Amino acid sequence: MSLTDILTARIREAGPMTVADYMAECLLHPVHGYYTTRDPLGAAGDFTTAPEISQMFGELLGLSLAQAWMDQGQPSPFTLAELGPGRGTLMADLLRATKAVPGFHAAAHIHLVEASPALRAEQEKALADYNVHWHDNVEALPDQPLFLVANEFFDALPVRQFLRAGANWQEKLVGLEDGALTFGLGTAAPQPALAYRLDDTKDGDLVELCSAATPIAACIATRIATHGGAALIIDYGDWRSLGNTLQALRHHARAEVLTAPGNADLTTHVDFEPLTQTAKSVGCDFARLCPQGVFLERLGITNRAQTLASRLDGYPLNQLIAAHRRLTHPSEMGNLFKVLGLYPTGSTPPPGLEA
Ligand code: SAH
Protein backbone atom coordinates (compact mmCIF):
# COMPACT_ATOMS: atom_id res chain seq x y z
CA MET A 1 0.00 0.00 0.00
CA SER A 2 1.45 3.40 -0.99
CA LEU A 3 1.10 6.54 1.12
CA THR A 4 -1.40 7.87 -1.47
CA ASP A 5 -3.55 4.75 -0.86
CA ILE A 6 -3.27 5.15 2.92
CA LEU A 7 -4.23 8.83 2.83
CA THR A 8 -7.08 8.18 0.37
CA ALA A 9 -8.53 5.47 2.62
CA ARG A 10 -8.22 7.73 5.64
CA ILE A 11 -10.02 10.62 3.91
CA ARG A 12 -12.80 8.25 2.72
CA GLU A 13 -13.31 7.17 6.30
CA ALA A 14 -12.75 10.34 8.31
CA GLY A 15 -13.24 13.17 5.78
CA PRO A 16 -10.77 15.79 4.51
CA MET A 17 -7.58 16.36 6.53
CA THR A 18 -5.78 19.57 7.43
CA VAL A 19 -2.69 20.62 5.48
CA ALA A 20 -0.76 20.10 8.74
CA ASP A 21 -1.89 16.48 9.02
CA TYR A 22 -1.04 15.93 5.37
CA MET A 23 2.46 17.42 5.85
CA ALA A 24 3.08 15.37 9.00
CA GLU A 25 2.12 12.11 7.25
CA CYS A 26 4.22 12.91 4.17
CA LEU A 27 7.32 13.83 6.16
CA LEU A 28 7.25 11.47 9.11
CA HIS A 29 4.95 8.50 8.37
CA PRO A 30 6.83 5.59 10.02
CA VAL A 31 6.96 3.47 6.84
CA HIS A 32 6.53 5.90 3.92
CA GLY A 33 7.59 9.27 5.37
CA TYR A 34 10.01 11.40 3.39
CA TYR A 35 12.47 11.89 6.27
CA THR A 36 11.94 8.49 7.90
CA THR A 37 12.99 6.59 4.80
CA ARG A 38 15.97 8.47 3.35
CA ASP A 39 18.82 10.95 3.48
CA PRO A 40 17.43 13.70 1.23
CA LEU A 41 20.48 15.99 1.32
CA GLY A 42 23.26 16.66 -1.13
CA ALA A 43 23.73 16.68 -4.88
CA ALA A 44 22.17 13.22 -5.35
CA GLY A 45 19.25 14.09 -3.08
CA ASP A 46 16.44 16.61 -3.29
CA PHE A 47 17.90 19.74 -1.72
CA THR A 48 21.03 21.09 -0.07
CA THR A 49 21.55 23.21 3.03
CA ALA A 50 24.04 25.76 4.35
CA PRO A 51 26.18 23.28 6.36
CA GLU A 52 26.38 21.01 3.30
CA ILE A 53 27.46 23.96 1.15
CA SER A 54 30.43 24.93 3.33
CA GLN A 55 32.18 24.02 6.59
CA MET A 56 32.35 27.78 7.33
CA PHE A 57 28.66 27.81 8.30
CA GLY A 58 28.95 25.35 11.19
CA GLU A 59 32.30 26.77 12.27
CA LEU A 60 30.97 30.32 12.63
CA LEU A 61 27.79 29.22 14.40
CA GLY A 62 29.98 27.25 16.79
CA LEU A 63 32.18 30.25 17.55
CA SER A 64 29.12 32.44 18.17
CA LEU A 65 27.67 29.91 20.63
CA ALA A 66 31.03 29.36 22.35
CA GLN A 67 31.47 33.12 22.80
CA ALA A 68 27.93 33.35 24.23
CA TRP A 69 28.87 30.52 26.62
CA MET A 70 31.97 32.48 27.74
CA ASP A 71 29.99 35.71 28.06
CA GLN A 72 27.63 33.89 30.43
CA GLY A 73 30.43 32.70 32.71
CA GLN A 74 31.11 29.28 31.16
CA PRO A 75 28.30 27.30 32.82
CA SER A 76 29.21 23.64 33.37
CA PRO A 77 27.76 21.22 32.55
CA PHE A 78 25.60 22.51 29.70
CA THR A 79 23.56 21.01 26.88
CA LEU A 80 24.92 21.53 23.38
CA ALA A 81 21.90 20.72 21.25
CA GLU A 82 20.82 20.64 17.64
CA LEU A 83 17.31 20.20 16.27
CA GLY A 84 17.03 18.26 13.00
CA PRO A 85 20.78 17.78 12.46
CA GLY A 86 20.48 16.21 8.98
CA ARG A 87 23.78 14.47 8.23
CA GLY A 88 25.45 15.81 11.38
CA THR A 89 27.69 18.08 9.31
CA LEU A 90 26.87 21.30 11.15
CA MET A 91 27.52 19.75 14.57
CA ALA A 92 30.77 18.17 13.38
CA ASP A 93 32.00 21.54 12.01
CA LEU A 94 30.84 23.35 15.16
CA LEU A 95 32.73 20.90 17.39
CA ARG A 96 35.92 21.06 15.33
CA ALA A 97 35.88 24.87 15.40
CA THR A 98 35.36 25.03 19.18
CA LYS A 99 38.02 22.46 20.14
CA ALA A 100 40.43 25.21 21.14
CA VAL A 101 37.91 27.05 23.36
CA PRO A 102 39.15 26.22 26.89
CA GLY A 103 36.64 24.09 28.80
CA PHE A 104 33.90 24.19 26.16
CA HIS A 105 34.05 20.54 25.09
CA ALA A 106 34.59 19.29 28.64
CA ALA A 107 31.41 21.06 29.81
CA ALA A 108 29.29 20.18 26.75
CA HIS A 109 26.82 17.30 26.71
CA ILE A 110 25.76 16.77 23.12
CA HIS A 111 22.04 16.18 22.53
CA LEU A 112 20.40 15.81 19.13
CA VAL A 113 16.66 15.92 18.44
CA GLU A 114 16.02 13.85 15.33
CA ALA A 115 12.90 12.04 14.12
CA SER A 116 14.45 10.16 11.21
CA PRO A 117 16.17 6.78 11.82
CA ALA A 118 17.89 7.12 8.43
CA LEU A 119 19.41 10.48 9.37
CA ARG A 120 20.29 9.36 12.91
CA ALA A 121 22.50 6.73 11.29
CA GLU A 122 24.27 9.44 9.26
CA GLN A 123 24.72 11.59 12.37
CA GLU A 124 26.22 8.66 14.24
CA LYS A 125 28.87 8.30 11.50
CA ALA A 126 29.66 12.04 11.35
CA LEU A 127 29.98 12.30 15.15
CA ALA A 128 31.63 8.95 15.87
CA ASP A 129 34.34 10.66 17.96
CA TYR A 130 31.85 12.16 20.41
CA ASN A 131 29.46 10.97 23.09
CA VAL A 132 26.03 11.85 21.64
CA HIS A 133 22.49 11.46 22.99
CA TRP A 134 19.49 11.31 20.65
CA HIS A 135 15.92 12.31 21.44
CA ASP A 136 12.56 12.28 19.66
CA ASN A 137 11.52 15.69 20.97
CA VAL A 138 12.84 18.79 22.75
CA GLU A 139 11.04 18.03 26.03
CA ALA A 140 13.66 15.31 26.59
CA LEU A 141 16.52 17.86 26.66
CA PRO A 142 18.08 18.03 30.16
CA ASP A 143 17.01 20.79 32.52
CA GLN A 144 20.28 22.76 32.48
CA PRO A 145 21.93 25.60 30.50
CA LEU A 146 21.14 25.13 26.82
CA PHE A 147 23.17 26.26 23.82
CA LEU A 148 21.29 25.22 20.70
CA VAL A 149 21.31 25.45 16.91
CA ALA A 150 18.50 24.62 14.49
CA ASN A 151 19.08 25.07 10.77
CA GLU A 152 16.15 24.35 8.45
CA PHE A 153 14.27 22.53 11.22
CA PHE A 154 11.25 24.77 11.79
CA ASP A 155 10.46 24.87 8.05
CA ALA A 156 9.71 21.13 8.18
CA LEU A 157 7.07 21.47 10.90
CA PRO A 158 3.46 21.06 9.73
CA VAL A 159 1.36 24.21 9.20
CA ARG A 160 -2.38 24.71 8.90
CA GLN A 161 -3.56 27.15 6.23
CA PHE A 162 -6.54 29.50 6.51
CA LEU A 163 -8.30 31.78 4.06
CA ARG A 164 -9.75 34.99 5.47
CA ALA A 165 -13.56 35.27 5.13
CA GLY A 166 -14.84 38.41 6.86
CA ALA A 167 -14.08 38.02 10.57
CA ASN A 168 -13.84 34.23 10.08
CA TRP A 169 -11.42 31.81 8.46
CA GLN A 170 -11.90 28.87 6.10
CA GLU A 171 -9.33 26.13 6.59
CA LYS A 172 -7.63 24.72 3.49
CA LEU A 173 -8.09 20.94 3.52
CA VAL A 174 -6.89 17.93 1.58
CA GLY A 175 -9.82 15.87 0.27
CA LEU A 176 -10.74 13.71 -2.71
CA GLU A 177 -12.14 14.46 -6.13
CA ASP A 178 -12.72 11.58 -8.57
CA GLY A 179 -10.54 9.45 -6.31
CA ALA A 180 -7.54 11.82 -6.45
CA LEU A 181 -6.14 14.01 -3.65
CA THR A 182 -7.26 17.60 -4.06
CA PHE A 183 -7.35 20.85 -2.08
CA GLY A 184 -10.65 22.20 -0.79
CA LEU A 185 -11.96 24.60 1.85
CA GLY A 186 -13.70 23.96 5.17
CA THR A 187 -16.58 26.03 6.50
CA ALA A 188 -15.92 29.54 7.80
CA ALA A 189 -15.32 29.72 11.55
CA PRO A 190 -13.57 32.03 14.00
CA GLN A 191 -9.93 31.18 14.83
CA PRO A 192 -8.85 32.69 18.15
CA ALA A 193 -5.17 31.98 17.37
CA LEU A 194 -5.50 34.20 14.27
CA ALA A 195 -7.41 37.07 15.90
CA TYR A 196 -4.30 39.30 15.63
CA ARG A 197 -4.19 38.71 11.88
CA LEU A 198 -7.56 40.41 11.32
CA ASP A 199 -5.65 43.71 11.49
CA ASP A 200 -3.25 43.09 8.62
CA THR A 201 -5.20 40.85 6.22
CA LYS A 202 -8.18 41.22 3.90
CA ASP A 203 -10.78 38.79 2.54
CA GLY A 204 -9.23 35.99 0.51
CA ASP A 205 -5.74 36.33 2.06
CA LEU A 206 -4.11 33.07 3.11
CA VAL A 207 -2.22 32.81 6.40
CA GLU A 208 -0.32 29.90 7.91
CA LEU A 209 -0.35 28.71 11.49
CA CYS A 210 2.42 26.47 12.79
CA SER A 211 0.99 25.19 16.07
CA ALA A 212 3.75 22.58 16.40
CA ALA A 213 6.40 25.32 16.70
CA THR A 214 4.92 26.88 19.85
CA PRO A 215 5.62 24.12 22.40
CA ILE A 216 9.09 23.61 20.89
CA ALA A 217 9.96 27.31 21.15
CA ALA A 218 8.48 27.44 24.68
CA CYS A 219 10.57 24.47 25.81
CA ILE A 220 13.85 25.90 24.46
CA ALA A 221 13.13 29.43 25.72
CA THR A 222 12.17 28.20 29.19
CA ARG A 223 15.48 26.37 29.60
CA ILE A 224 17.41 29.43 28.41
CA ALA A 225 15.43 31.82 30.63
CA THR A 226 15.79 29.56 33.69
CA HIS A 227 19.34 28.20 33.41
CA GLY A 228 21.07 30.41 30.81
CA GLY A 229 22.14 29.59 27.28
CA ALA A 230 21.37 30.73 23.75
CA ALA A 231 19.64 29.49 20.61
CA LEU A 232 20.45 30.23 16.98
CA ILE A 233 17.47 29.41 14.78
CA ILE A 234 18.13 29.75 11.05
CA ASP A 235 15.53 29.29 8.37
CA TYR A 236 13.95 30.86 5.33
CA GLY A 237 11.02 33.00 6.21
CA ASP A 238 10.26 36.36 7.72
CA TRP A 239 8.62 38.29 10.50
CA ARG A 240 4.97 37.65 9.63
CA SER A 241 3.72 35.08 7.13
CA LEU A 242 1.30 36.04 4.40
CA GLY A 243 0.32 33.85 1.47
CA ASN A 244 0.80 30.20 0.63
CA THR A 245 4.46 29.25 1.18
CA LEU A 246 4.02 25.48 1.12
CA GLN A 247 6.32 23.96 -1.48
CA ALA A 248 7.42 20.52 -2.56
CA LEU A 249 10.98 19.91 -3.70
CA ARG A 250 12.27 16.86 -5.53
CA HIS A 251 15.68 16.44 -7.20
CA HIS A 252 16.42 20.15 -6.60
CA ALA A 253 13.27 21.26 -8.50
CA ARG A 254 9.76 22.32 -7.55
CA ALA A 255 7.21 19.49 -7.50
CA GLU A 256 3.45 19.25 -6.98
CA VAL A 257 2.45 19.14 -3.31
CA LEU A 258 -0.20 16.43 -3.71
CA THR A 259 1.15 14.15 -6.44
CA ALA A 260 3.83 12.08 -4.72
CA PRO A 261 3.21 12.10 -0.95
CA GLY A 262 6.28 10.90 0.94
CA ASN A 263 8.55 11.25 -2.08
CA ALA A 264 9.13 15.01 -2.08
CA ASP A 265 10.33 17.35 0.64
CA LEU A 266 7.56 19.64 1.93
CA THR A 267 8.49 22.93 3.58
CA THR A 268 7.02 26.32 4.39
CA HIS A 269 8.57 29.68 5.16
CA VAL A 270 9.01 30.12 8.89
CA ASP A 271 6.95 32.84 10.54
CA PHE A 272 9.42 34.07 13.18
CA GLU A 273 7.08 36.47 14.96
CA PRO A 274 5.13 33.81 16.93
CA LEU A 275 8.42 32.18 17.98
CA THR A 276 9.58 35.46 19.52
CA GLN A 277 6.20 35.99 21.21
CA THR A 278 6.41 32.52 22.74
CA ALA A 279 9.96 33.19 23.95
CA LYS A 280 8.88 36.52 25.45
CA SER A 281 5.94 34.89 27.23
CA VAL A 282 8.29 32.62 29.18
CA GLY A 283 10.74 35.42 30.06
CA CYS A 284 13.38 34.80 27.37
CA ASP A 285 14.78 37.66 25.29
CA PHE A 286 15.31 37.60 21.51
CA ALA A 287 17.66 39.41 19.15
CA ARG A 288 16.43 41.39 16.16
CA LEU A 289 15.77 39.04 13.22
CA CYS A 290 18.93 39.18 11.08
CA PRO A 291 19.54 38.17 7.45
CA GLN A 292 21.91 35.20 7.25
CA GLY A 293 24.36 37.08 5.01
CA VAL A 294 24.71 39.96 7.49
CA PHE A 295 25.07 37.52 10.41
CA LEU A 296 27.85 35.53 8.71
CA GLU A 297 29.69 38.69 7.60
CA ARG A 298 29.62 40.03 11.17
CA LEU A 299 31.12 36.74 12.36
CA GLY A 300 33.98 37.12 9.87
CA ILE A 301 33.08 34.69 7.09
CA THR A 302 35.14 36.68 4.58
CA ASN A 303 38.31 36.39 6.72
CA ARG A 304 37.65 32.70 7.22
CA ALA A 305 37.15 32.22 3.47
CA GLN A 306 40.42 34.05 2.75
CA THR A 307 42.30 31.81 5.19
CA LEU A 308 40.86 28.68 3.58
CA ALA A 309 41.47 30.12 0.09
CA SER A 310 45.19 30.65 0.75
CA ARG A 311 45.63 26.85 0.79
CA LEU A 312 43.59 26.18 -2.36
CA ASP A 313 43.64 26.69 -6.10
CA GLY A 314 41.76 25.51 -9.19
CA TYR A 315 38.41 23.77 -8.71
CA PRO A 316 38.41 23.69 -4.86
CA LEU A 317 39.15 27.42 -4.80
CA ASN A 318 36.30 28.16 -7.19
CA GLN A 319 34.02 25.98 -5.05
CA LEU A 320 34.96 27.96 -1.95
CA ILE A 321 34.32 31.31 -3.65
CA ALA A 322 30.94 30.04 -4.89
CA ALA A 323 30.03 28.74 -1.40
CA HIS A 324 30.90 32.07 0.24
CA ARG A 325 28.71 33.88 -2.29
CA ARG A 326 25.87 31.39 -1.99
CA LEU A 327 25.71 31.65 1.80
CA THR A 328 25.96 35.45 2.00
CA HIS A 329 24.85 37.18 -1.21
CA PRO A 330 21.43 38.89 -0.97
CA SER A 331 20.34 37.34 -4.27
CA GLU A 332 21.23 33.84 -3.05
CA MET A 333 20.72 32.63 0.57
CA GLY A 334 21.94 35.83 2.25
CA ASN A 335 18.58 37.56 2.50
CA LEU A 336 16.01 34.77 2.16
CA PHE A 337 17.39 33.03 5.26
CA LYS A 338 17.09 34.74 8.64
CA VAL A 339 18.71 34.16 12.01
CA LEU A 340 16.73 34.40 15.22
CA GLY A 341 18.73 34.47 18.46
CA LEU A 342 17.30 33.68 21.89
CA TYR A 343 19.19 34.56 25.07
CA PRO A 344 18.47 35.17 28.76
CA THR A 345 16.96 38.52 29.71
CA GLY A 346 19.72 40.79 30.99
CA SER A 347 22.44 39.01 29.02
CA THR A 348 23.85 40.03 25.61
CA PRO A 349 22.77 38.46 22.28
CA PRO A 350 25.07 35.82 20.76
CA PRO A 351 27.79 37.46 18.59
CA GLY A 352 26.54 38.33 15.11
CA LEU A 353 23.17 39.49 16.42
CA GLU A 354 21.85 42.74 17.91
CA ALA A 355 19.32 43.35 20.68
N1 SAH B 1 19.81 20.86 9.81
C1 SAH B 1 20.19 20.01 8.69
C2 SAH B 1 19.01 19.24 8.07
C3 SAH B 1 17.80 20.03 7.66
S1 SAH B 1 16.52 18.98 7.03
C4 SAH B 1 20.93 20.82 7.67
O1 SAH B 1 20.91 22.04 7.75
O2 SAH B 1 21.52 20.22 6.77
C5 SAH B 1 15.40 18.82 8.40
C6 SAH B 1 15.91 17.97 9.53
O3 SAH B 1 14.91 17.97 10.58
C7 SAH B 1 16.12 16.51 9.20
O4 SAH B 1 17.20 16.03 9.98
C8 SAH B 1 14.79 15.88 9.62
O5 SAH B 1 14.86 14.49 9.78
C9 SAH B 1 14.52 16.63 10.88
N2 SAH B 1 13.11 16.70 11.31
C10 SAH B 1 12.07 17.11 10.56
N3 SAH B 1 10.92 17.13 11.30
C11 SAH B 1 11.29 16.75 12.55
C12 SAH B 1 10.56 16.57 13.77
N4 SAH B 1 9.26 16.82 13.84
N5 SAH B 1 11.24 16.17 14.87
C13 SAH B 1 12.58 15.92 14.80
N6 SAH B 1 13.31 16.06 13.67
C14 SAH B 1 12.68 16.47 12.56
Side-chain angles (χ1 to χ4, degrees):
M1 219 184 183
S2 70
L3 188 53
T4 305
D5 295 337
I6 293 170
L7 295 175
T8 303
R10 180 172 152 184
I11 293 168
R12 285 219 167 92
E13 201 181 301
M17 60 170 74
T18 64
V19 171
D21 285 347
Y22 178 78
M23 272 185 89
E25 292 293 343
C26 290
L27 294 178
L28 294 176
H29 184 279
V31 181
H32 302 286
Y34 179 75
Y35 282 116
T36 21
T37 52
R38 77 199 76 203
D39 168 6
L41 290 147
D46 292 308
F47 61 94
T48 192
T49 56
E52 299 300 329
I53 290 168
S54 169
Q55 67 183 76
M56 296 185 290
F57 187 76
E59 290 171 351
L60 293 170
L61 258 59
L63 294 175
S64 175
L65 277 193
Q67 184 64 52
W69 175 76
M70 290 194 279
D71 291 344
Q72 291 182 35
Q74 313 182 353
S76 175
F78 74 93
T79 303
L80 179 61
E82 183 172 0
L83 309 184
R87 289 176 166 173
T89 310
L90 195 167
M91 186 52 82
D93 292 337
L94 180 159
L95 287 165
R96 195 184 54 255
T98 53
K99 234 177 215 152
V101 178
F104 188 71
H105 279 210
H109 293 188
I110 304 167
H111 290 263
L112 306 180
V113 176
E114 175 56 68
S116 161
L119 287 170
R120 277 192 191 195
E122 293 297 316
Q123 293 154 21
E124 216 170 320
K125 279 188 244 162
L127 300 168
D129 294 343
Y130 301 93
N131 184 14
V132 179
H133 308 273
W134 277 269
H135 305 287
D136 293 330
N137 52 57
V138 288
E139 278 79 20
L141 293 175
D143 224 6
Q144 61 185 18
L146 172 64
F147 291 81
L148 174 144
V149 288
N151 185 60
E152 292 212 45
F153 168 79
F154 283 91
D155 69 359
L157 297 179
V159 303
R160 293 168 70 184
Q161 295 186 319
F162 295 92
L163 230 60
R164 170 100 185 251
N168 292 325
W169 302 88
Q170 284 186 285
E171 182 152 16
K172 204 164 156 185
L173 298 169
V174 179
L176 293 172
E177 194 177 296
D178 300 331
L181 296 173
T182 183
F183 284 116
L185 286 177
T187 49
Q191 286 297 335
L194 292 176
Y196 76 111
R197 298 305 305 269
L198 292 173
D199 296 339
D200 72 317
T201 54
K202 56 182 188 327
D203 269 9
D205 279 351
L206 187 147
V207 301
E208 294 173 335
L209 188 64
C210 185
S211 310
T214 310
I216 296 173
C219 185
I220 297 168
T222 302
R223 280 173 180 55
I224 292 172
T226 313
H227 305 290
L232 295 172
I233 297 168
I234 306 106
D235 234 305
Y236 53 148
D238 220 319
W239 187 248
R240 189 172 274 205
S241 99
L242 185 62
N244 176 14
T245 72
L246 177 60
Q247 65 168 27
L249 214 57
R250 205 175 175 187
H251 307 315
H252 298 266
R254 285 280 190 112
E256 291 297 325
V257 170
L258 296 180
T259 41
N263 286 314
D265 186 32
L266 293 181
T267 62
T268 60
H269 286 202
V270 172
D271 183 356
F272 286 96
E273 185 184 25
L275 300 182
T276 64
Q277 296 311 308
T278 301
K280 211 161 95 180
S281 74
V282 300
C284 182
D285 218 339
F286 58 90
R288 196 177 316 158
L289 198 61
C290 181
Q292 172 175 300
V294 173
F295 174 71
L296 293 175
E297 289 296 355
R298 284 185 187 147
L299 292 175
I301 193 170
T302 300
N303 278 341
R304 180 70 185 127
Q306 281 163 350
T307 306
L308 291 171
S310 65
R311 295 179 224 138
L312 301 173
D313 56 23
Y315 180 71
L317 178 61
N318 290 335
Q319 287 287 94
L320 174 76
I321 293 167
H324 174 259
R325 183 187 153 88
R326 194 150 170 213
L327 291 179
T328 57
H329 199 276
S331 69
E332 304 227 17
M333 294 170 82
N335 219 7
L336 182 62
F337 282 74
K338 309 286 192 305
V339 185
L340 174 66
L342 305 181
Y343 59 99
T345 306
S347 183
T348 48
L353 299 175
E354 289 177 340

Coordinates of all heavy atoms in Angstrom, one line a residue, residues 28 35 41 47 49 51-52 82 84-86 113-116 119 123 136 151-153 156-157, ligand 1:
L28 N 6.8 12.3 8.0 CA 7.2 11.5 9.1 C 6.4 10.2 9.3 O 6.5 9.5 10.3 CB 7.3 12.3 10.4 CG 8.3 13.4 10.5 CD1 8.2 14.2 11.8 CD2 9.7 12.9 10.4
Y35 N 11.3 11.9 5.4 CA 12.5 11.9 6.3 C 12.8 10.5 6.9 O 13.9 10.2 7.2 CB 12.4 12.9 7.4 CG 12.6 14.3 6.9 CD1 11.7 15.3 6.9 CD2 13.9 14.7 6.4 CE1 11.9 16.6 6.4 CE2 14.1 15.9 5.9 CZ 13.1 16.9 5.9 OH 13.4 18.2 5.5
L41 N 19.6 14.9 1.5 CA 20.5 16.0 1.3 C 21.5 15.7 0.3 O 21.8 14.6 -0.1 CB 21.2 16.3 2.6 CG 20.2 17.0 3.7 CD1 20.6 16.6 5.1 CD2 20.2 18.5 3.5
F47 N 17.6 18.3 -2.0 CA 17.9 19.7 -1.7 C 19.2 19.8 -1.0 O 19.7 18.7 -0.5 CB 16.8 20.4 -0.9 CG 16.6 19.8 0.5 CD1 17.2 20.2 1.6 CD2 15.7 18.7 0.6 CE1 17.0 19.6 2.8 CE2 15.5 18.1 1.9 CZ 16.1 18.6 3.0
T49 N 21.7 22.2 1.9 CA 21.5 23.2 3.0 C 22.9 23.9 3.3 O 23.9 23.4 2.9 CB 21.1 22.5 4.3 OG1 22.1 21.5 4.6 CG2 19.7 21.9 4.2
P51 N 25.0 24.1 5.9 CA 26.2 23.3 6.4 C 26.7 22.3 5.3 O 27.9 22.0 5.3 CB 25.7 22.5 7.6 CG 24.2 22.6 7.6 CD 23.8 23.8 6.8
E52 N 25.9 21.9 4.4 CA 26.4 21.0 3.3 C 27.1 21.8 2.2 O 27.9 21.3 1.5 CB 25.2 20.2 2.7 CG 24.5 19.3 3.7 CD 25.4 18.3 4.3 OE1 26.3 17.8 3.7 OE2 25.1 17.9 5.5
E82 N 21.2 20.3 19.0 CA 20.8 20.6 17.6 C 19.5 20.0 17.3 O 19.3 18.8 17.7 CB 21.9 20.2 16.6 CG 21.4 20.7 15.2 CD 22.5 20.5 14.1 OE1 23.6 20.0 14.4 OE2 22.2 20.8 12.9
G84 N 17.0 18.7 14.4 CA 17.0 18.3 13.0 C 18.4 18.4 12.4 O 18.6 19.1 11.5
P85 N 19.4 17.6 12.9 CA 20.8 17.8 12.5 C 21.1 17.2 11.1 O 22.3 17.3 10.7 CB 21.6 17.0 13.5 CG 20.6 16.7 14.6 CD 19.3 16.6 14.0
G86 N 20.2 16.7 10.3 CA 20.5 16.2 9.0 C 21.6 15.2 9.0 O 21.5 14.1 9.6
V113 N 18.1 16.3 18.6 CA 16.7 15.9 18.4 C 16.4 15.6 17.0 O 16.6 16.4 16.1 CB 15.8 17.1 18.9 CG1 14.3 16.8 18.6 CG2 16.0 17.4 20.4
E114 N 16.1 14.3 16.7 CA 16.0 13.8 15.3 C 14.9 12.8 15.2 O 15.0 11.8 16.0 CB 17.4 13.3 14.9 CG 17.3 12.7 13.5 CD 16.8 13.6 12.4 OE1 17.5 14.6 12.1 OE2 15.7 13.4 11.9
A115 N 14.0 13.0 14.3 CA 12.9 12.0 14.1 C 13.2 10.9 13.1 O 12.5 9.9 13.1 CB 11.7 12.8 13.6
S116 N 14.2 11.1 12.3 CA 14.4 10.2 11.2 C 15.5 9.1 11.6 O 16.7 9.5 11.8 CB 14.9 10.9 10.0 OG 15.5 10.1 9.1
L119 N 18.5 9.4 9.1 CA 19.4 10.5 9.4 C 20.2 10.3 10.7 O 21.3 10.7 10.8 CB 18.7 11.8 9.3 CG 18.3 12.2 7.9 CD1 17.4 13.4 7.8 CD2 19.6 12.5 7.0
Q123 N 24.2 10.8 11.3 CA 24.7 11.6 12.4 C 25.7 10.8 13.2 O 26.7 11.3 13.7 CB 23.6 12.1 13.2 CG 22.7 13.1 12.5 CD 21.3 13.2 13.0 OE1 21.0 12.9 14.1 NE2 20.4 13.7 12.2
D136 N 13.6 12.1 20.6 CA 12.6 12.3 19.7 C 12.0 13.7 19.7 O 11.4 14.2 18.8 CB 11.4 11.3 20.0 CG 11.8 9.9 19.7 OD1 12.7 9.7 18.8 OD2 11.3 9.0 20.4
N151 N 19.0 24.6 12.1 CA 19.1 25.1 10.8 C 18.1 24.3 9.9 O 18.2 23.1 9.8 CB 20.5 24.9 10.2 CG 20.6 25.6 8.8 OD1 20.3 26.8 8.7 ND2 20.9 24.8 7.8
E152 N 17.2 25.0 9.3 CA 16.1 24.3 8.4 C 15.4 23.2 9.2 O 15.2 22.1 8.7 CB 16.8 23.8 7.1 CG 17.2 25.0 6.2 CD 17.1 24.6 4.8 OE1 16.0 24.1 4.4 OE2 18.0 24.9 4.0
F153 N 15.1 23.5 10.4 CA 14.3 22.5 11.2 C 12.8 23.0 11.3 O 11.9 22.2 11.0 CB 14.8 22.4 12.6 CG 13.9 21.7 13.6 CD1 13.8 20.3 13.6 CD2 13.1 22.4 14.5 CE1 13.0 19.6 14.4 CE2 12.3 21.7 15.3 CZ 12.2 20.3 15.3
A156 N 10.3 22.5 8.4 CA 9.7 21.1 8.2 C 8.5 20.8 9.1 O 7.9 19.7 9.0 CB 10.8 20.1 8.4
L157 N 8.2 21.7 10.0 CA 7.1 21.5 10.9 C 5.8 21.7 10.2 O 5.7 22.7 9.4 CB 7.2 22.4 12.1 CG 8.4 22.1 13.0 CD1 8.4 23.1 14.2 CD2 8.5 20.7 13.5
Ligands
SAH1 N1 19.8 20.9 9.8 C1 20.2 20.0 8.7 C2 19.0 19.2 8.1 C3 17.8 20.0 7.7 S1 16.5 19.0 7.0 C4 20.9 20.8 7.7 O1 20.9 22.0 7.8 O2 21.5 20.2 6.8 C5 15.4 18.8 8.4 C6 15.9 18.0 9.5 O3 14.9 18.0 10.6 C7 16.1 16.5 9.2 O4 17.2 16.0 10.0 C8 14.8 15.9 9.6 O5 14.9 14.5 9.8 C9 14.5 16.6 10.9 N2 13.1 16.7 11.3 C10 12.1 17.1 10.6 N3 10.9 17.1 11.3 C11 11.3 16.7 12.5 C12 10.6 16.6 13.8 N4 9.3 16.8 13.8 N5 11.2 16.2 14.9 C13 12.6 15.9 14.8 N6 13.3 16.1 13.7 C14 12.7 16.5 12.6

